Amino acid sequence: MMLPPASALLPDFQQLLRVAPHPYVVMDARFTLLWANDAYLRVTGRSAVDILDRNIFDAFPGGPHDPGGARARGSCGSRWRRCCAAAPRTPSR
C-alpha cells in the first residue's frame, strides 16, 4: 500500500486561521498588511479591501491621543528593529 506524501497530510493552515475565533494578521517587515482572518476584520470593523496591501499605520492611523500616529509608528518600529537587530539597542530618552 502506497502512503500519500507527508505534505498531503498537513492541514490547510490558512483555512484553519481564517475561521479561527481569535484575530490574526500577517505583515511584512515594512508593516504592510498582507493577510487578516475574519476575526481580525470583525474586531477592527474594517474590510480586507480597506486594509490589505496598506501599511498598518496608514490603515489604522492614531487615535485622539496621537492624531498623526507618529508615537505608535515610532514605538512599534523601534520594537521591530530591536527584535531583528543583531546587536542590542539602547533606547533614547
Side-chain angles (χ1 to χ4, degrees):
M1 178 170 89
M2 188 168 187
L3 294 174
S7 61
L9 302 175
L10 290 174
D12 180 351
F13 289 102
Q14 187 171 0
Q15 177 65 12
L16 288 173
L17 291 173
R18 187 183 68 75
V19 298
H22 304 288
Y24 294 102
V25 66
V26 176
M27 293 182 286
D28 67 11
R30 293 185 175 165
F31 301 104
T32 301
L33 294 161
L34 303 174
W35 179 87
N37 72 347
D38 295 343
Y40 185 87
L41 298 173
R42 191 171 39 257
V43 300
T44 60
R46 306 293 294 278
S47 72
V49 172
D50 290 339
I51 64 170
L52 295 185
D53 296 322
R54 294 183 64 194
N55 181 281
I56 192 165
F57 300 107
D58 295 332
F60 300 100
H65 63 285
D66 186 21
R71 186 172 179 186
R73 185 183 304 264
S75 175
C76 192
S78 175
R79 286 189 194 105
W80 183 259
R81 284 188 296 279
R82 279 196 308 269
C83 178
C84 298
R89 180 180 168 274
T90 304
S92 58
R93 294 181 187 232

